[in-house]
Amino acid sequence: MVNIEIDANGIALATLDMPDRAMNVLNPTLVQPFAALVERLETDASIKGLVITSAKSTFIVGADIDQLSKITSAEEAYTLCEELKAMMRRMEKCGKPVVAALNGTALGGGLELALACHARIALNDPKLKLGLPEVKLGLLPGGGGTQRLPRLIGIQKSFELITQGKELTAAKAKEMGIVAELAETRDELIAKAKAWCAANPKAAAPWDTKGFRIPGGDSKSPAVVQVLAIAPSMANAKAHGNYPAITHIMSCLFEGCLLDFDAGSQVESRYFAACVASQVSKNMIGTLWYQLNAIKKGQSRPQGFAEGKVRRVGILGAGMMGAGIAYVSAKAGIDVVLLDTSIDNANKGKAYSQGILDKAISRGRSTAEKRDALLARIQTTTSYDDLKGCDLVIEAVFEDRGIKAECTKKTEAVIAADAVFASNTSTLPITGLAAASSRPANFIGLHFFSPVDKMPLVEIIVGEKTSDETLARGFDYVLQIGKTPIVVNDSRGFYTSRVFATYVMEGLAMLGEGVHPRSIEVAGLKAGMPMPPLALQDEVSLSLSLHISDQTRRDLEAEGKSYPMHPGEAVLRVVAEKHGRIGKKSGKGLYDYNGKEKSLWPELTTVFPTQAQQPAQQELVDRLMFIQANEAARCYQEKVVRSVADTNIGSIFGWGFAPHQGGALQFINAMGAKQFVERSRELAKRHGARFEPAEIVVKQAAEGGRFEDA
């Protein structure tokens, strides 16, 4: 729906308002009436100019992903792209001024439509974001963004914004030259937009005027050539060739900026079509759009319980995890009681929040007033009595059953009967920890990831006696603090810790076999993991991994079960126990550390002599990826994870499973179960039974099935 009002000066105000949608998106429902508006603008002499705004709280948040996901061929994508751009181009060349009055966020195609206007005026609202984030879904801007933006602000600045999918505030966009003016109110916004039209009756895009030059130079200018010469290697150093959209964006900028605007726009359409047709885009859209949105809409939340808000949260333990949980809770407006064994420890935990906030102030992202208000919400204490009135208490103490049991009992002695008690344990089964509770129905696991302020996931663990109401309340709290919740059933290592361990342990097993440590690390990065396995093991600490192994062995032996020794554990023991190298915190582990610099411990190849014949890199990559995907499939098979969405999102957000693969189960889907089973069995023959494919995948291979939620 496009509502049009024409004032006495002939300036038309077009207000975009899609029916039955919370936000405007570019799809036929909006594009068709907008095309009619463009035709009227071209033919109606009484219209002297056009201002485009939105009736929603946002402007346009991008293209309709539903429409894009139904495209079956590159040709179809190209045609769709060209038709949309033809309409924008007609508007741009109509000979009358067109201004985008950005009353809210404009992303992707929404910003591209605004860039096709002759000027952009934005509301000076800190919530308003402008950007071209398509790369985050394996795509590139297909509405002229890779051509208009560099012609507006230069190739170098555009390269950074588009390849990283950066989102800007209105003030930053004005500083960069994307936005012409800012307005403080909606009325002022419309008034300024109309005034711009009146002052520029014959407006034209800069690139349509005689003598136009791209700011900073075109693709042939020496300064830009220097940037473009090193850009591919810089991009590949991070992407390792796993994200074709990044290469295609660079091609659009380089090739398109050698040509006139219309020819450059066609180049963009071809590369856009290539992105839409790619498996990477299909993986990322399926998981990071559809499955992520399903989770955020409560797919895993029990129904029948009113949405709740935590008003006061108690946190036991002010170490790294507890301090981080305190910060994200206070940031969400929740009152926090941060408890530790000494007031110095508690205050040190609170100081963690101050450190984050002071850094934000120094970078102009916050104010002293906001900092002080947040810190005022965090009360430090050593007394359990101060937990009275907390509707949620989160225990984040050392991974020791005895200590955790004592904390549980002391807390339950003072909190209300209906309050929720949560453990931040990463490995100890919740049902066992809940044995110390007098009300196990109110006991749940909330597994945060470090650093809490940056990591987006919280793994919610349901014990045998955890009630659905407790799960619903835990789920609501995770959303309240701006995190993504996945729900898993109780199990040793739960889901994320269990599968994450397979990645680092496989790297250690390779080291023990005589694979060169540098080859192991390169394979991890080539696979698309954010950190290679040996470096990641140092971050976790070798001593912690051994503590967990020892605890697991004791537990299994107490249950009369055998402990399955992983070949990587022997490597851990040699490095940590024989050589006293326990990880990054101690300054020495599998790496040597010198301040922020690190390098592989030179003696690794002496302690674990390298094979004369090194395996092919793809063999190493496959081992690292298949071991994770297979264990994730087993978790799904055993109903440790409750949905495909939780499994995929948990793998990406929890431990960084290669995002371009769309998650651990999508890795299997994209390859096909039959091929996955065949390759798994090859790996099992060479490297051990741990690679034998999960029964659920073997069944899919036989029956033609795949992982998908109903």
Side-chain angles (χ1 to χ4, degrees):
M1 178 80 65
V2 179
N3 301 310
I4 304 166
E5 300 171 17
I6 304 173
D7 68 13
N9 298 316
I11 306 299
L13 175 64
T15 306
L16 312 179
D17 190 9
M18 291 184 75
D20 305 319
R21 299 282 297 238
M23 294 178 280
N24 296 318
V25 295
L26 285 177
N27 71 7
T29 304
L30 183 64
V31 171
Q32 287 170 7
F34 195 87
L37 168 66
V38 171
E39 187 169 344
R40 185 175 173 187
L41 179 66
E42 291 173 312
T43 57
D44 189 340
S46 69
I47 296 179
K48 308 299 182 187
L50 174 65
V51 173
I52 305 167
T53 194
S54 165
K56 315 284 189 187
S57 60
T58 55
F59 183 68
I60 301 173
V61 292
D64 189 342
I65 300 299
D66 288 346
Q67 184 183 13
L68 284 180
S69 65
K70 290 172 185 166
I71 293 174
T72 57
S73 69
E75 291 77 14
E76 188 183 347
Y78 178 83
T79 301
L80 177 74
C81 200
E82 284 291 286
E83 287 175 353
L84 176 66
K85 288 200 280 196
M87 179 193 71
M88 290 184 183
R89 193 70 173 127
R90 283 169 53 203
M91 179 181 76
E92 191 172 44
K93 297 186 76 175
C94 71
K96 300 174 183 178
V98 181
V99 178
L102 303 171
N103 60 291
T105 290
L107 297 173
L111 180 57
E112 289 181 290
L113 179 67
L115 289 171
C117 298
H118 301 114
R120 288 145 298 283
I121 298 172
L123 205 57
N124 192 17
D125 178 353
K127 293 180 182 176
L128 186 153
K129 300 296 179 190
L130 304 175
L132 298 171
E134 288 89 344
V135 71
K136 295 176 181 178
L137 291 178
L139 299 170
L140 59 77
T146 71
Q147 300 307 303
R148 288 190 176 92
L149 195 62
R151 285 168 171 80
L152 194 64
I153 65 171
I155 294 173
Q156 189 169 351
K157 290 179 183 175
S158 300
F159 172 83
E160 185 179 351
L161 291 179
I162 303 173
T163 57
Q164 295 179 23
K166 279 190 173 181
E167 295 178 9
L168 306 173
T169 61
K172 184 65 178 176
K174 181 177 183 296
E175 181 187 316
M176 294 184 74
I178 299 170
V179 165
E181 294 183 66
L182 300 179
E184 298 304 321
T185 66
R186 190 181 180 98
D187 287 346
E188 184 188 357
L189 177 72
I190 302 303
K192 282 190 169 186
K194 287 187 173 185
W196 197 97
C197 287
N200 298 273
K202 300 286 187 184
W207 39 92
D208 290 325
T209 58
K210 191 174 180 180
F212 170 73
R213 295 286 183 272
I214 294 175
D218 64 16
S219 304
K220 300 190 298 292
S221 70
V224 175
V225 165
Q226 192 172 5
V227 171
L228 292 176
I230 61 171
S233 60
M234 287 175 63
N236 199 49
K238 290 184 177 179
H240 295 281
N242 292 319
Y243 297 88
I246 293 177
T247 305
H248 294 336
I249 289 166
M250 289 189 285
S251 297
C252 287
L253 291 168
F254 174 71
E255 296 172 31
C257 290
L258 286 172
L259 306 168
D260 63 70
F261 177 83
D262 292 308
S265 188
Q266 274 195 321
V267 167
E268 177 191 87
S269 296
R270 293 192 186 99
Y271 283 115
F272 174 79
C275 285
V276 172
S278 73
Q279 184 62 50
V280 169
S281 175
K282 289 178 171 60
N283 291 342
M284 295 178 79
I285 288 174
T287 300
L288 296 172
W289 182 260
Y290 287 109
Q291 293 180 10
L292 181 57
N293 284 338
I295 287 171
K296 289 182 174 178
K297 288 175 182 175
Q299 172 185 281
S300 303
R301 182 189 188 275
Q303 301 304 303
F305 302 98
E307 185 180 331
K309 295 282 186 187
V310 171
R311 297 179 304 279
R312 183 176 168 88
V313 63
I315 297 164
L316 312 182
M320 189 72 173
M321 297 302 293
I325 299 167
Y327 169 73
V328 297
S329 298
K331 187 182 177 187
I334 301 170
D335 289 331
V336 176
V337 179
L338 185 57
L339 182 149
D340 210 304
T341 53
S342 76
I343 200 67
D344 284 348
N345 285 346
N347 287 337
K348 191 184 290 184
K350 182 174 180 176
Y352 178 81
S353 291
Q354 176 147 3
I356 293 173
L357 297 164
D358 285 345
K359 186 181 284 187
I361 292 169
S362 71
R363 294 177 177 176
R365 294 176 184 165
S366 189
T367 64
E369 291 75 22
K370 289 180 180 177
R371 175 198 62 198
D372 294 345
L374 188 150
L375 292 173
R377 287 194 283 273
I378 302 176
Q379 173 192 349
T380 56
T381 186
T382 59
S383 171
Y384 278 81
D385 285 341
D386 288 329
L387 297 175
K388 288 174 183 173
C390 289
D391 28 19
L392 169 67
V393 174
I394 302 170
E395 164 269 301
V397 301
F398 188 67
E399 291 284 272
D400 180 282
R401 279 196 180 80
I403 297 172
K404 290 179 184 291
E406 184 183 353
C407 290
T408 303
K409 288 170 183 172
K410 286 183 176 178
T411 299
E412 289 183 348
V414 297
I415 59 174
D418 62 347
V420 172
F421 187 93
S423 175
N424 177 54
T425 181
S426 59
T427 53
L428 298 174
I430 290 299
T431 302
L433 294 179
S437 171
S438 60
R439 41 193 168 186
N442 291 27
F443 197 107
I444 198 165
L446 291 178
H447 175 209
F448 289 80
F449 296 79
S450 183
V452 176
D453 53 292
K454 292 179 181 173
M455 294 296 281
L457 191 78
V458 176
E459 185 178 34
I460 304 177
I461 303 109
V462 179
E464 283 180 12
K465 296 182 179 179
T466 303
S467 71
D468 279 353
E469 181 180 4
T470 298
L471 171 55
R473 289 171 68 184
F475 195 96
D476 293 344
Y477 164 72
V478 174
L479 290 180
Q480 186 180 349
I481 60 173
K483 302 293 184 185
T484 300
I486 63 164
V487 179
V488 307
N489 292 322
D490 200 15
S491 169
R492 187 169 302 282
F494 317 128
Y495 167 54
T496 56
S497 295
R498 174 174 160 181
V499 185
F500 161 76
T502 66
Y503 173 62
V504 291
M505 291 301 279
E506 197 59 33
L508 290 166
M510 291 175 183
L511 183 62
E513 293 165 15
V515 179
H516 196 287
R518 193 166 290 108
S519 296
I520 297 168
E521 299 299 74
V522 169
L525 295 172
K526 288 288 183 188
M529 300 296 291
M531 282 189 76
L534 304 183
L536 197 50
Q537 178 61 73
D538 267 6
E539 293 281 337
V540 171
S541 104
L542 285 71
S543 54
L544 176 60
S545 294
L546 286 174
H547 171 77
I548 292 167
S549 295
D550 292 340
Q551 180 74 57
T552 303
R553 182 190 292 103
R554 286 193 294 270
D555 290 350
L556 289 174
E557 287 173 353
E559 295 168 16
K561 298 175 183 175
S562 61
Y563 173 72
M565 175 73 81
H566 192 286
E569 188 176 323
V571 177
L572 268 181
R573 294 201 180 278
V574 169
V575 177
E577 295 176 351
K578 185 176 178 182
H579 294 276
R581 303 178 66 89
I582 60 172
K584 185 180 179 180
K585 281 186 179 178
S586 69
K588 56 180 185 177
L590 296 157
Y591 281 74
D592 280 328
Y593 297 86
N594 182 16
K596 292 185 177 180
E597 298 297 316
K598 69 179 181 184
S599 57
L600 282 161
W601 179 36
E603 293 301 311
L604 272 182
T605 52
T606 303
V607 177
F608 305 103
T610 53
Q611 305 167 10
Q613 185 67 39
Q614 289 288 301
Q617 189 178 73
Q618 191 58 49
E619 178 83 0
L620 303 181
V621 169
D622 283 356
R623 285 178 66 174
L624 293 172
M625 297 304 283
F626 274 70
I627 200 73
Q628 296 178 76
N630 212 4
E631 195 66 21
R634 288 195 189 98
C635 287
Y636 184 78
Q637 175 184 305
E638 295 166 16
K639 296 184 168 45
V640 173
V641 270
R642 295 185 168 195
S643 72
V644 172
D646 281 350
T647 313
N648 281 330
I649 290 296
S651 69
I652 295 173
F653 286 10
W655 72 89
F657 185 88
H660 73 282
Q661 299 286 5
L665 296 186
Q666 178 56 25
F667 176 80
I668 300 173
N669 281 347
M671 180 177 293
K674 188 170 182 291
Q675 188 178 336
F676 183 86
V677 166
E678 288 172 359
R679 182 62 174 138
S680 291
R681 285 175 173 160
E682 287 175 8
L683 293 170
K685 280 181 187 175
R686 285 203 284 273
H687 307 293
R690 64 187 180 277
F691 285 98
E692 283 294 337
E695 289 175 19
I696 190 171
V697 189
V698 174
K699 187 179 180 186
Q700 288 175 354
E703 299 174 357
R706 58 186 278 115
F707 292 101
E708 52 192 355
D709 288 326

